Amino acid sequence: MQPDSSFDNALAALQDCLGRQGNFVVLTGAGVSKESGIPTFRDAQTGLWANYRAEDLATREGFLNNPQMVWDWYDFRRNKVWDAQPNPGHVALAKMEVLFSRFTLITQNIDNLHQRAGSKQVLELHGNIFRYKCLEQNHPVSLDLLENPDASPPTCPVCNSYVRPDVVWFGEMLPEIILSQAFDAASSADVMLIAGTSGVVQPAASIPAAAKEAGATVFEINPEMSALTSFMVDYFLQGTSGTILHQLLTALQANPRVKTL
Ligand code: NAD
């Protein structure tokens, strides 16, 4: 299937959704944070970390083998994200949440940048790097309340197992409730917008298919075609999400219906 790549046609379809008070569902991936200077997982394996494998840094086994190395790796990434700012793509999505009466933002990102841009409802499929839990029993942990917060890693005050970032590592299940909310939203979507994802990490990559099967029109924003483009995308807007989401928002805000809201 050859997607339509006309911005004007895509905009008209979105205006239609807006006018009908349709259900707008968005799935984002690492690409939407690229313009904030956040490397993708593979990009991040440069410099100091070039000699490490993802399997050693983002799996339970890797953590058990070398807890300090994994803790330090996440500290490094957390500091990078903390210093970053949301980009115009994050901001545009936060503003779209207000325009559409039914809007769901689903993200694979763990960087909290959607929330910092002002998005209120975010379904975080892969967790959040600023939250912590313990390794063995998933007790939520606040580092501020620990006696040993500077240990790398510290230990859980309840069960004494190691504290780890509350993110989904390779080989782990996604949070069940969030995943089911994401599929529910997709299954009743009128519009599904995919931005900045390669569409290869499961089960997130199956969410757009659920929307498509339910009859949604699928839009994609990406500088390159993804694994999903030729299978299910109706409108492919080639380019960076910071630029294109901002352009879409500006055009939608000019819609006469929006002006009366
Ligand atoms: P991915 O790295 O597999 O793919 C990134 C996609 O973004 C690619 O298709 C690329 O062409 C596109 N892209 C690059 N620059 C872009 C831009 N400026 N605008 C729009 N698109 C752009 O990312 P993924 O599909 O999200 O899957 C990778 C996994 O890595 C996910 O599980 C995610 O949780 C994790 N991850 C998250 C972060 C983060 O939180 N910021 C960073 C790295 C990795």
Side-chain angles (χ1 to χ4, degrees):
M1 156 180 175
Q2 188 66 24
D4 186 338
S5 57
S6 152
F7 181 87
D8 289 343
N9 292 351
L11 179 62
L14 285 181
Q15 304 269 30
D16 182 54
C17 175
L18 186 65
R20 287 187 289 119
Q21 302 200 349
N23 189 12
F24 193 157
V25 180
V26 182
L27 173 68
T28 65
V32 297
S33 293
K34 187 117 175 171
E35 288 155 273
S36 295
I38 309 294
T40 63
F41 197 86
R42 307 266 164 201
D43 289 340
Q45 290 184 286
T46 57
L48 184 61
W49 298 97
N51 297 325
Y52 297 90
R53 301 177 314 147
E55 294 76 8
D56 294 332
L57 296 168
T59 60
R60 179 183 168 87
E61 295 70 32
F63 184 65
L64 286 171
N65 280 342
N66 196 336
Q68 174 160 7
M69 180 182 76
V70 174
W71 184 262
D72 291 349
W73 156 252
Y74 276 94
D75 248 1
F76 164 77
R77 288 184 71 194
R78 197 176 297 108
N79 287 335
K80 268 202 155 305
V81 169
W82 183 255
D83 290 341
Q85 295 301 323
N87 67 55
H90 295 112
V91 173
L93 288 173
K95 293 193 171 162
M96 284 182 196
E97 182 175 352
V98 182
L99 291 189
F100 286 85
S101 45
R102 290 188 289 157
F103 184 94
T104 306
L105 176 54
I106 306 164
T107 189
Q108 297 165 83
N109 295 344
I110 58 172
D111 57 26
N112 212 38
L113 285 173
H114 284 304
Q115 290 91 333
R116 283 173 62 192
S119 287
K120 298 279 183 282
Q121 300 284 340
V122 185
L123 295 179
E124 294 176 314
L125 294 175
H126 294 165
N128 187 309
I129 199 168
F130 294 101
R131 282 197 312 262
Y132 302 87
K133 63 181 182 179
C134 75
L135 183 67
E136 297 304 341
Q137 309 215 23
N138 295 323
H139 295 126
V141 175
S142 166
L143 287 198
D144 297 342
L145 304 176
L146 293 182
E147 281 176 19
N148 57 349
D150 295 328
S152 59
T155 48
C156 173
V158 181
C159 69
N160 212 35
S161 70
Y162 281 132
V163 175
R164 56 164 283 182
D166 187 359
V167 299
V168 177
W169 282 335
F170 293 110
E172 292 184 328
M173 304 292 282
L174 274 63
E176 209 176 313
I177 292 175
I178 303 224
L179 188 61
S180 124
Q181 287 173 333
F183 273 99
D184 283 351
S187 306
S188 60
D190 294 297
V191 161
M192 174 89 224
L193 173 67
I194 319 164
T197 179
S198 53
V200 294
V201 177
Q202 291 292 356
S206 296
I207 291 172
K212 184 79 182 171
E213 274 165 32
T217 307
V218 180
F219 296 70
E220 181 174 41
I221 300 172
N222 200 311
E224 294 166 23
M225 287 171 75
S226 73
L228 305 173
T229 315
S230 50
F231 291 105
M232 68 186 74
V233 172
D234 299 295
Y235 295 96
F236 178 66
L237 300 177
Q238 186 159 26
T240 64
S241 48
T243 302
I244 292 184
L245 283 169
H246 176 74
Q247 289 171 348
L248 284 176
L249 173 73
T250 307
L252 288 170
Q253 283 173 327
N255 183 309
R257 193 191 126 65
V258 170
K259 286 186 172 158
T260 62
L261 289 179

